[in-house]
Amino acid sequence: MTSTDDAIAQPQHTSEKFEIQAFVEQLHQKYQSLRDGKLADYIPELAKANPDWFSICLATTDGRVYKVGDFDQLFTIQSISKVFVYGMALEDHGREKLLTKVGVEPTGDPFNSIIRLDESSKRPDNPMINSGAIATTSLIKGKDPTEKLNRLLEMFRRYTGHDLFVDISVFMSERTTGHRNRAMAHLMLNFGMIDEPVDEALDLYFQQCSIMVNCCDLAVMAGTLANRGVNPCTGERAIAPAYVRDILSVMYTSGMYNFAGEWAYRVGLPAKSGVSGGIIAVVPNHLGIAVFSPLLDCRGNSVRGVAVCEEISRMFELHIFDSLAYGCSLLDAAPKPEA
Ligand code: GLU
């Protein structure tokens, strides 16, 4: 990395409009030269990505989209899908029932950890690790695999504003090489944590991971969560508002693999990453952030994605515990004690 010391104009907190498009362009230029990390290769198709791909997109809750770089390059959504499928399972079953099937405890383990299947609680720890995501996917309602997949694709359509499709070669690549996921699903079946038909649930999970998106799509999806479940570009509701808080909570505690704690500390936003190089982060009531760059660190997070989100959070003071405005307005509204 050579140019990350380049200065970027600080946002001015004045009535003068801060030039957001110029800001994301500078950010893109600054981190373009950061070439650390490597492509995911445990799914053979992912190793075919171009390591130079890099885009940053922001979608505001009032429907503006700022984009720079390879923003229309398609890639598979991978683990970022877990967030939205969890939302759908919440709608299908309700919060309390879903909690009996999939927990919300962060593990600090890598996404594909197999050692923490909790035989006694009968539920995987959270919906962001693979065991929890496969269990969540197995709960999606539908009379047959086609209806379940169509329901998932329809849900993703509401979040992005257009039809999406599954990349068959990535799906087949995941399906034929996903031995660890297969082993985990069968262990969960053995422990009574999920029900038959396991292979159908696995196929649906591999399909959801193989849905093609671009960086703008991800920003609008994150912007939809920021906008309490309404797509800010189309005005269409993608998820019931009651569940947005649940989704953001698990993103905050478990969305960044075994970097989730440090991410919460340094960036302080609910987020989710995927091994194809995408990261989404949500600034509730304001903004969806998406970065795409397929070079990953040792935990499976996009190197440029983490760096860009950290810088955006720092420059705009977006860490949720920086957001003193929430606390202040609440306190201002509270009755004052008698003098
Ligand atoms: N399809 C991937 C898997 O289960 C998802 C990985 C990820 O993005 O974390 O192996």
Side-chain angles (χ1 to χ4, degrees):
M1 175 184 170
T2 53
S3 65
T4 45
D5 294 334
D6 297 351
I8 288 191
Q10 286 285 335
Q12 300 298 306
H13 299 287
T14 65
S15 55
E16 208 175 306
K17 190 168 158 291
F18 178 68
E19 244 320 321
I20 298 177
Q21 181 61 34
F23 168 72
V24 291
E25 282 168 15
Q26 286 179 59
L27 209 50
H28 186 268
Q29 197 175 10
K30 174 172 171 180
Y31 286 103
Q32 183 101 60
S33 58
L34 175 55
R35 296 185 56 87
D36 298 346
K38 62 192 221 20
L39 297 173
D41 56 8
Y42 76 102
I43 301 169
E45 280 297 309
L46 294 183
K48 297 180 181 168
N50 179 345
D52 290 331
W53 284 336
F54 179 29
S55 49
I56 306 171
C57 297
L58 309 180
T60 63
T61 50
D62 60 6
R64 285 169 290 150
V65 177
Y66 301 92
K67 47 194 179 186
V68 62
D70 303 297
F71 50 80
D72 49 13
Q73 174 62 50
L74 291 174
F75 54 95
T76 52
I77 188 169
Q78 294 298 333
S79 264
I80 297 174
S81 64
K82 294 170 181 173
V83 166
F84 303 95
V85 176
Y86 181 57
M88 189 162 193
L90 280 163
E91 286 192 320
D92 276 0
H93 298 279
R95 182 181 296 131
E96 295 313 318
K97 162 104 185 287
L98 192 58
L99 266 178
T100 67
K101 301 281 187 188
V102 183
V104 289
E105 286 306 325
T107 62
D109 286 339
F111 73 94
N112 57 2
S113 167
I114 203 164
I115 49 174
R116 284 186 59 105
L117 288 182
D118 187 345
E119 204 179 339
S120 56
S121 80
K122 297 269 185 247
R123 35 170 222 180
D125 291 294
N126 71 67
M128 300 293 117
I129 50 172
N130 280 8
S131 55
I134 294 167
T136 303
T137 299
S138 77
L139 295 169
I140 293 304
K141 289 187 174 167
K143 68 176 186 316
D144 55 32
T146 307
E147 185 174 299
K148 291 178 188 178
L149 176 61
N150 285 340
R151 286 192 69 229
L152 281 191
L153 288 171
E154 167 56 19
M155 176 267 293
F156 282 107
R157 186 201 61 73
R158 293 195 299 272
Y159 276 101
T160 59
H162 63 85
D163 289 334
L164 299 172
F165 62 92
V166 172
D167 183 286
I168 297 299
S169 48
V170 175
F171 165 58
M172 291 307 291
S173 193
E174 296 227 21
R175 191 178 200 237
T176 47
T177 60
H179 307 302
R180 184 182 283 255
N181 286 329
R182 210 168 280 285
M184 209 158 7
H186 282 274
L187 262 184
M188 286 196 288
L189 175 68
N190 181 254
F191 294 160
M193 298 163 83
I194 59 172
D195 298 322
E196 286 277 27
V198 172
D199 288 324
E200 270 181 34
L202 278 164
D203 271 357
L204 191 58
Y205 172 73
F206 294 138
Q207 284 165 331
Q208 78 180 54
C209 290
S210 306
I211 290 172
M212 299 295 272
V213 289
N214 62 35
C215 192
C216 275
D217 292 332
L218 290 184
V220 174
M221 293 165 84
T224 301
L225 292 175
N227 198 32
R228 298 169 201 220
V230 173
N231 181 321
C233 298
T234 64
E236 186 176 10
R237 176 161 291 288
I239 172 129
Y243 296 125
V244 172
R245 190 191 71 178
D246 303 320
I247 296 171
L248 295 179
S249 300
V250 293
M251 287 172 74
Y252 193 71
T253 53
S254 310
M256 297 296 288
Y257 307 124
N258 40 338
F259 188 63
E262 196 167 332
W263 172 277
Y265 186 85
R266 295 161 80 101
V267 182
L269 294 172
K272 184 74 196 87
S273 68
V275 290
S276 50
I279 296 184
I280 59 170
V282 177
V283 186
N285 300 321
H286 294 285
L287 194 63
I289 302 170
V291 186
F292 167 56
S293 167
L295 290 173
L296 307 181
D297 63 22
C298 59
R299 285 133 163 164
N301 294 317
S302 165
V303 175
R304 287 183 181 128
V306 169
V308 166
C309 289
E310 198 174 334
E311 178 138 353
I312 293 176
S313 172
R314 184 176 53 75
M315 289 191 81
F316 290 94
E317 299 177 7
L318 297 178
H319 192 297
I320 58 169
F321 302 127
D322 271 339
S323 307
L324 294 176
Y326 298 118
C328 289
S329 56
L330 205 69
L331 289 178
D332 289 347
K336 303 268 183 308
E338 296 284 316

